[in-house]
Amino acid sequence: MNIFFYATYSNQEEFFHTLKKKFKHDKIFTINDNVDLSKIDVAMVWNLPSSVFKKMVNLKAIFSIGAGVDHILKLPNIRNLPIIRVKDPTMRIRMYNHVLSQILIFQLKLKIYDEAQRKKNWMNERYTPLNSELTIGIMGLGYIGNFVALNIKKLGYNVIGFKRNVVKKNTSFEIYKSSSLSKFTKKSDVIVSILPDTKKTKNFINANFLKKMKESSLLVNIGRGSAVNELDLIKHIKNNPNFYASLDVFNKEPLNKNHKFWSNKNITITPHVAAITDHDSSISYLFKRFMDFKKNRKIKSDVDIKLGY
Ligand code: OXD
């Protein structure tokens, strides 16, 4: 099978090197090879340009080399192509670590002490809640979200989940659906969004949503930036000085130098690094799926194109 690799990672050369080593029995082409794109069977990509995709008229499957697939779903005429996304156990461990760190910063008021330190202000004797006194609400309960929720729960936090409509039975935590969104937001001290980028999630976290959150609470976004209405968030923080946000993803990345988020003391910014793509383990996953495909000539898509995730 002919494979085509394309990525806009800053360390894509390194990724490609590891990929070639693992797929040593298959031919992998890149944009630098003058290859007839109609001969490509499988594309392994991150942000493939539509102009290149359009020429791959005999493509049989498209693999995202990251967890998200929105960059693939944006391609024109994606037909019913099977879409494979990286399901990497190390990625969800990293996501969990990131979420936990942000919960603890909020819970232990570390941002407040950091600010006080800058002002040489000895600000002691502030109450910090115990894990059992905090409720963590998780939105987006897929491969990563579910893992994060279960592991946060093991630490003694109260955990609740939000799913638009399908309510999973037998989960070890309560799941709220759209009709009970207000209950979910009102209960949560921390809301973690791991929502994908779909038509339904665009601007989901807007003024109306934020208004329903506790005045003193934390929003963590590690899903997609499009879920947050950034102007609404800025306004909300202005009116609620005890509201914090920790953002790893943004409407536009990299975040513009003039963006208001940079200088807002209630906002923590990380540059889309909550879970970096671990080369060895994600390539092992891609390799396994590819070898199954090569053997069986069939591959099950990880994505429901209509739902967008
Ligand atoms: C993502 C990733 O999907 O980094 O955001 O893999």
Side-chain angles (χ1 to χ4, degrees):
M1 279 196 183
N2 290 326
I3 305 172
F4 185 85
F5 170 77
Y6 183 95
T8 51
Y9 284 171
S10 52
N11 54 1
Q12 53 172 300
E13 288 300 324
E14 229 178 90
F15 190 93
F16 184 49
H17 182 71
T18 315
L19 190 73
K20 271 202 302 201
K21 267 218 270 191
K22 187 83 181 167
F23 286 74
K24 56 179 181 287
H25 300 299
D26 292 278
K27 185 94 192 101
I28 308 188
F29 298 96
T30 72
I31 203 84
N32 300 324
D33 299 306
N34 201 5
V35 59
D36 174 358
L37 292 170
S38 71
K39 301 241 158 59
I40 299 297
D41 301 294
V42 169
M44 297 195 177
V45 298
W46 187 259
N47 288 334
L48 180 71
S50 318
S51 54
V52 179
F53 173 68
K54 272 191 203 147
K55 292 187 188 145
M56 296 184 187
V57 287
N58 291 308
L59 202 60
K60 298 180 183 64
I62 183 157
F63 287 45
S64 168
I65 61 173
V69 291
D70 37 311
H71 62 104
I72 292 178
L73 293 170
K74 277 185 199 128
L75 292 167
N77 191 15
I78 183 86
R79 317 184 282 280
N80 271 334
L81 268 182
I83 301 174
I84 312 307
R85 50 180 283 246
V86 168
K87 284 189 188 160
D88 173 3
T90 68
M91 191 178 266
R92 51 188 197 174
I93 294 170
R94 287 195 166 94
M95 284 286 199
Y96 160 69
N97 283 342
H98 182 87
V99 170
L100 180 60
S101 71
Q102 299 313 299
I103 294 173
L104 286 170
I105 288 172
F106 173 71
Q107 178 178 359
L108 305 180
K109 303 194 159 53
L110 298 181
K111 249 182 129 56
I112 296 175
Y113 291 124
D114 191 46
E115 179 76 9
Q117 177 183 341
R118 279 170 224 280
K119 296 183 183 146
K120 300 186 182 165
N121 182 2
W122 186 257
M123 186 197 249
N124 63 354
E125 303 289 332
R126 291 194 136 215
Y127 184 75
T128 54
L130 294 168
N131 298 11
S132 58
E133 293 174 284
L134 288 181
T135 297
I136 317 297
I138 313 270
M139 302 200 294
L141 293 165
Y143 179 73
I144 293 171
N146 211 40
F147 179 86
V148 171
L150 292 174
N151 284 284
I152 293 288
K153 190 164 189 288
K154 281 189 198 152
L155 299 175
Y157 293 99
N158 302 297
V159 171
I160 55 177
F162 174 79
K163 247 179 167 290
R164 194 170 284 278
N165 33 43
V166 198
V167 174
K168 264 206 216 155
K169 296 262 167 13
N170 304 326
T171 50
S172 60
F173 50 90
E174 207 177 339
I175 298 185
Y176 293 76
K177 50 185 177 174
S178 286
S179 53
S180 44
L181 178 65
S182 303
K183 272 196 200 139
F184 170 81
T185 48
K186 288 207 170 91
K187 266 194 162 189
S188 303
D189 298 287
V190 176
I191 290 188
V192 181
S193 170
I194 316 179
L195 294 172
D197 176 19
T198 70
K199 278 190 203 119
K200 294 229 164 107
T201 59
K202 196 166 174 53
N203 284 325
F204 186 64
I205 304 172
N206 56 13
N208 196 28
F209 180 101
L210 294 164
K211 204 167 65 198
K212 291 181 190 142
M213 283 181 71
K214 289 188 181 178
E215 268 176 38
S216 169
S217 57
L218 166 71
L219 169 72
V220 181
N221 189 11
I222 53 167
R224 281 293 179 259
S226 57
V228 172
N229 183 309
E230 296 185 342
L231 284 177
D232 286 0
L233 178 59
I234 290 278
K235 273 193 214 143
H236 187 75
I237 291 179
K238 211 168 171 192
N239 298 328
N240 295 276
N242 295 322
F243 187 93
Y244 291 84
S246 164
L247 309 170
D248 187 57
V249 285
F250 302 88
N251 285 188
K252 194 164 177 297
E253 294 173 18
L255 193 62
N256 192 301
K257 291 239 183 298
N258 302 324
H259 202 292
K260 292 223 165 70
F261 283 170
W262 287 111
S263 54
N264 192 307
K265 68 178 174 39
N266 288 32
I267 296 183
T268 300
I269 293 173
T270 49
H272 203 138
V273 288
I276 47 115
T277 299
D278 186 305
H279 293 188
D280 287 325
S281 86
S282 58
I283 289 172
S284 291
Y285 179 80
L286 295 173
F287 185 70
K288 185 187 167 312
R289 296 295 308 268
F290 176 78
M291 291 312 279
D292 284 349
F293 183 32
K294 214 166 135 179
K295 189 163 145 223
N296 305 319
R297 298 277 144 181
K298 270 200 299 218
I299 191 160
K300 192 172 165 328
S301 184
D302 286 334
V303 178
D304 180 325
I305 293 181
K306 274 205 204 97
L307 290 178
Y309 59 89

